[in-house]
Amino acid sequence: MSFKKDLSKENLYEAVKSLVENPNPHLQLSQQKLFTLFSVAFQYMLFRSTKNPGHYIIRIEDPFLAEKLARKAKDETTRKFMQKLLIPRRLNYGNGIFHLDYFNLTTWGTTKDLPKERIQGAIVVKNTAHNPLIDEGDFRHVDPENAQNEAAIQLFGENYYLTSLMEFCPRTITVAFEQDYPGVHKLQFGFIGEETQHLSGVKLAGDINWED
């Protein structure tokens, strides 16, 4: 079912086209439109999978954000695909195999053993938590898991959920607002507009989630 606020076909096409034509292997979509940018990134990876058979990793901060993306992504195809991917966390699409995991190490059981030479792309989606690896509020508060995550932070750095993929993945698209990643090129889309908005003469704070 499509929604009135879905991306227009023209904007979606042009945004995906700009990703296809961008030569940088590691890109960040940094504007404050999480669900819009995820649709663009996901549609790009679907297109890439038709040209480059192999494995594709969708790494989302936590299961709650994944469920929101499945409901609120800005095109129908992405919503339906994510809804089907949530439970098995593995789904075939043509010659591509899509895998879903989260920032927590315990969810990397299948993706960590994939042959690296067969991984063709990855999407990383970060919400607004400063350190999502050890935040409380979901299964990550379990002590053994926290200890594992904190050890990984010490070994790889706090952005290891992305940097570990950049080591071998030929194309990564990171959706993250107000975040800087070394070696990652930021890309913005003109149709999204400014990240700070005004309402009736009042300047609203930049951390308001306009997708909700």
Side-chain angles (χ1 to χ4, degrees):
M1 179 180 179
S2 60
F3 298 100
K4 291 182 179 180
K5 292 185 178 181
D6 278 359
L7 272 168
S8 69
K9 291 182 179 180
E10 293 78 10
N11 283 340
L12 185 56
Y13 172 82
E14 290 299 328
V16 171
K17 183 172 180 284
S18 69
L19 293 180
V20 172
E21 295 175 346
N22 195 299
N24 295 283
H26 306 296
L27 295 172
Q28 178 184 353
L29 309 184
S30 59
Q31 289 164 288
Q32 195 176 358
K33 287 290 184 180
L34 178 65
F35 305 122
T36 295
L37 296 176
F38 179 72
S39 276
V40 172
F42 197 84
Q43 288 297 322
Y44 166 78
M45 286 299 173
L46 286 183
F47 173 78
R48 181 177 173 84
S49 72
T50 66
K51 307 296 183 182
N52 300 275
H55 296 281
Y56 291 80
I57 297 173
I58 312 299
R59 180 164 293 168
I60 300 173
E61 186 172 318
D62 56 48
F64 306 106
L65 180 58
E67 291 175 2
K68 287 186 71 175
L69 291 168
R71 289 185 288 109
K72 296 188 176 185
K74 294 303 180 179
D75 73 285
E76 186 177 5
T77 301
T78 300
R79 288 192 295 269
K80 287 183 176 180
F81 197 108
M82 283 298 298
Q83 289 163 11
K84 292 180 180 178
L85 183 63
L86 284 176
I87 300 301
R89 289 177 35 201
R90 174 186 169 123
L91 197 62
N92 288 22
Y93 176 80
N95 293 322
I97 305 173
F98 284 74
H99 305 264
L100 173 65
D101 65 19
Y102 306 109
F103 286 12
N104 188 272
L105 279 173
T106 59
T107 69
W108 295 14
T110 56
T111 54
K112 70 180 178 60
D113 294 327
L114 294 174
K116 290 181 171 55
E117 68 277 7
R118 291 269 296 148
I119 297 175
Q120 295 295 331
I123 299 174
V124 174
V125 188
K126 184 182 185 302
N127 205 350
T128 56
H130 177 68
N131 190 346
L133 300 171
I134 56 176
D135 282 349
E136 295 184 355
D138 60 19
F139 55 82
R140 288 172 302 200
H141 73 278
V142 178
D143 288 343
E145 295 179 4
N146 278 344
Q148 188 179 26
N149 283 331
E150 291 184 38
I153 292 172
Q154 294 297 320
L155 182 61
F156 299 113
E158 63 179 353
N159 299 327
Y160 80 103
Y161 52 83
L162 170 60
T163 56
S164 59
L165 292 171
M166 291 171 62
E167 295 175 1
F168 57 84
C169 189
R171 187 67 150 173
T172 67
I173 307 291
T174 301
V175 180
F177 179 65
E178 292 187 335
Q179 185 81 14
D180 293 316
Y181 298 102
V184 178
H185 177 78
K186 289 186 178 181
L187 179 66
Q188 296 192 342
F189 303 113
F191 70 88
I192 290 180
E194 296 296 327
E195 292 165 352
T196 303
Q197 303 189 25
H198 294 72
L199 183 63
S200 299
V202 179
K203 186 176 181 181
L204 299 180
D207 60 357
I208 292 178
N209 187 346
W210 284 93
E211 299 293 353
D212 289 339

